[in-house]
Amino acid sequence: MNKKLVISLALLFFLTLSMAQDNEEDNDQDKRPSWSPGLPERQTTKDLSKPEFKPEIDDELELDMSEFGIKPKSEIDIELPIGSELPVVDEKAAKEEQERLEQERLEQERLEQERLEQERLEQERLEQERLEQERLEQERLEQERLEQERLEQERLEQERLEQERLEQERLEQERLEQERLEQELLEQERLEQERLEQEQATESQDSAEPMDIAPKENETNALSPGNVNSGYTWKITKQAPVEYPVKAAIDNLEGWVDLEVTINAAGEVVSATPVKYSRKGRIFGKPAIQSVNDWLFEPPSNSGINEPQTRIYRIEFNL
């Protein structure tokens, strides 16, 4: 098929070349001036629309035109191999070949377009994959950040709960310690009351004391040598005022304090020690002691007693 195509193309080329040469010779003849040497004078062309003479022309007559300066048409010589024949141009086959070549060209263009389209789609796919990976990476980082925040919040919450638990334990321990101290205080008060009840041997009535200061009921002398049945009558000759605690007054708090008072032979107070309080009455201990220390009693020496005397007084604080 290729060999036939080459031969056909060569034949077309030679035919085209021959036609171009003929046209060139015709143009040279038309351009030849009428005064050229060897040519007759130029004559006016007759009007052929009204012919007067119609020569008889023999189509087979061959004229030698070389005298007129016209070259005969050159014959085209095609060298063919010995024994070969001039190929016959098959226009249908050439057309089919051209159509086939056109189809191949269109097919190549289509394949090229498909390749370019596939490359474009591949690039878009890769770009989408890259964007998707970036999105997934951002989501992962965001999840990690949220997870860290959640863990941090849990840690802070656990620390807060732990602190609350420790605070509750501390408060519970303080409450238990307070209860224990109160129990111990009650137990001490009970034991002290029992001791005082055992120590009370005699009762005496003192004159009413001003400023809510009164001796405790069933007051007794201390059970010590020289005090038992000493016959001394306790009589206050000087009594100092008692200062009411400011905080107790603000809190509207009342109470009492039992003081163990010891005097010397001259009737002066040598010691005053609290031995019992009312509930929340410890706040009254200090002002009660300060007041009792300034008291004066009738000297026991007037009764012939030269030994210290001890007695319990209850100092009451009422609003």
Side-chain angles (χ1 to χ4, degrees):
M1 185 68 183
N2 293 332
K3 185 176 181 180
K4 292 181 179 181
L5 179 62
V6 171
I7 296 171
S8 300
L9 292 176
L11 183 59
L12 289 174
F13 174 75
F14 287 120
L15 291 175
T16 304
L17 184 61
S18 176
M19 292 176 64
Q21 188 175 2
D22 291 342
N23 291 332
E24 185 178 357
E25 291 176 353
D26 293 340
N27 292 332
D28 291 340
Q29 184 177 359
D30 292 338
K31 293 178 182 180
R32 182 171 51 83
S34 59
W35 57 86
S36 297
L39 292 179
E41 293 293 332
R42 185 174 182 181
Q43 298 178 358
T44 304
T45 306
K46 295 181 180 182
D47 188 2
L48 299 179
S49 62
K50 298 178 180 181
E52 296 179 358
F53 173 75
K54 184 177 181 183
E56 294 180 2
I57 300 174
D58 189 358
D59 294 335
E60 296 179 358
L61 181 63
E62 293 182 2
L63 299 177
D64 186 7
M65 303 298 292
S66 60
E67 297 178 356
F68 302 99
I70 299 174
K71 298 178 180 181
K73 295 181 180 179
S74 60
E75 297 179 358
I76 300 174
D77 296 332
I78 300 176
E79 295 182 359
L80 295 176
I82 298 173
S84 62
E85 296 179 356
L86 182 65
V88 179
V89 178
D90 191 350
E91 294 182 357
K92 183 178 180 180
K95 185 177 181 181
E96 290 179 354
E97 183 66 19
Q98 289 180 354
E99 290 178 355
R100 185 185 65 78
L101 293 175
E102 183 67 16
Q103 289 292 334
E104 290 180 356
R105 184 184 64 80
L106 295 175
E107 182 67 16
Q108 289 179 356
E109 290 180 357
R110 185 183 63 80
L111 293 175
E112 182 67 16
Q113 289 179 355
E114 290 181 355
R115 184 183 64 79
L116 295 175
E117 183 67 17
Q118 289 178 356
E119 289 181 356
R120 185 183 63 80
L121 294 175
E122 182 67 16
Q123 289 178 355
E124 290 180 355
R125 184 185 65 80
L126 295 175
E127 182 67 15
Q128 289 179 356
E129 289 181 356
R130 184 183 65 80
L131 295 176
E132 182 68 16
Q133 289 178 355
E134 290 180 356
R135 184 183 64 80
L136 294 175
E137 182 66 17
Q138 290 178 355
E139 289 181 356
R140 184 184 64 79
L141 295 175
E142 182 67 16
Q143 288 179 356
E144 289 181 356
R145 184 183 66 80
L146 295 175
E147 183 67 16
Q148 289 178 355
E149 290 181 355
R150 184 184 65 80
L151 294 175
E152 183 67 15
Q153 290 179 355
E154 289 181 356
R155 184 183 65 79
L156 295 176
E157 183 67 16
Q158 289 179 355
E159 290 181 356
R160 184 183 64 80
L161 294 175
E162 183 67 17
Q163 290 178 356
E164 289 181 356
R165 184 184 65 80
L166 294 175
E167 183 67 16
Q168 289 178 356
E169 290 181 355
R170 184 184 65 80
L171 294 175
E172 183 67 17
Q173 289 177 356
E174 290 181 355
R175 185 183 65 80
L176 294 175
E177 183 67 17
Q178 186 70 19
E179 290 180 357
R180 184 183 65 78
L181 293 175
E182 290 179 358
Q183 290 291 337
E184 290 180 356
L185 180 60
L186 292 175
E187 183 67 18
Q188 288 177 359
E189 290 178 355
R190 186 183 64 79
L191 294 175
E192 184 66 20
Q193 184 67 25
E194 291 179 357
R195 185 182 68 80
L196 292 175
E197 290 177 357
Q198 291 177 0
E199 289 179 352
Q200 289 176 351
T202 59
E203 296 181 358
S204 61
Q205 297 293 334
D206 294 335
S207 59
E209 300 176 355
M211 297 182 66
D212 296 329
I213 301 175
K216 183 183 175 183
E217 295 181 0
N218 300 325
E219 292 172 335
T220 60
N221 294 332
L223 301 178
S224 61
N227 290 340
V228 180
N229 299 325
S230 62
Y232 173 71
T233 302
W234 291 73
K235 184 177 180 181
I236 301 174
T237 59
K238 178 185 176 183
Q239 183 175 332
V242 180
E243 294 183 1
Y244 209 98
V246 176
K247 188 175 186 307
I250 294 174
D251 295 339
N252 197 22
L253 183 64
E254 297 180 347
W256 50 265
V257 181
D258 286 343
L259 296 179
E260 187 180 68
V261 181
T262 300
I263 61 175
N264 56 17
E268 298 173 346
V269 177
V270 295
S271 67
T273 305
V275 294
K276 191 175 182 181
Y277 301 92
S278 65
R279 181 174 179 81
K280 298 183 180 180
R282 290 182 178 273
I283 193 172
F284 303 116
K286 185 176 180 180
I289 292 172
Q290 290 176 351
S291 176
V292 172
N293 283 335
D294 294 334
W295 287 4
L296 291 177
F297 293 86
E298 183 179 350
S301 60
N302 293 343
S303 301
I305 300 173
N306 296 321
E307 296 178 355
Q309 302 295 309
T310 302
R311 185 181 183 180
I312 294 183
Y313 276 88
R314 172 168 290 182
I315 310 300
E316 294 183 356
F317 293 81
N318 298 319
L319 294 173

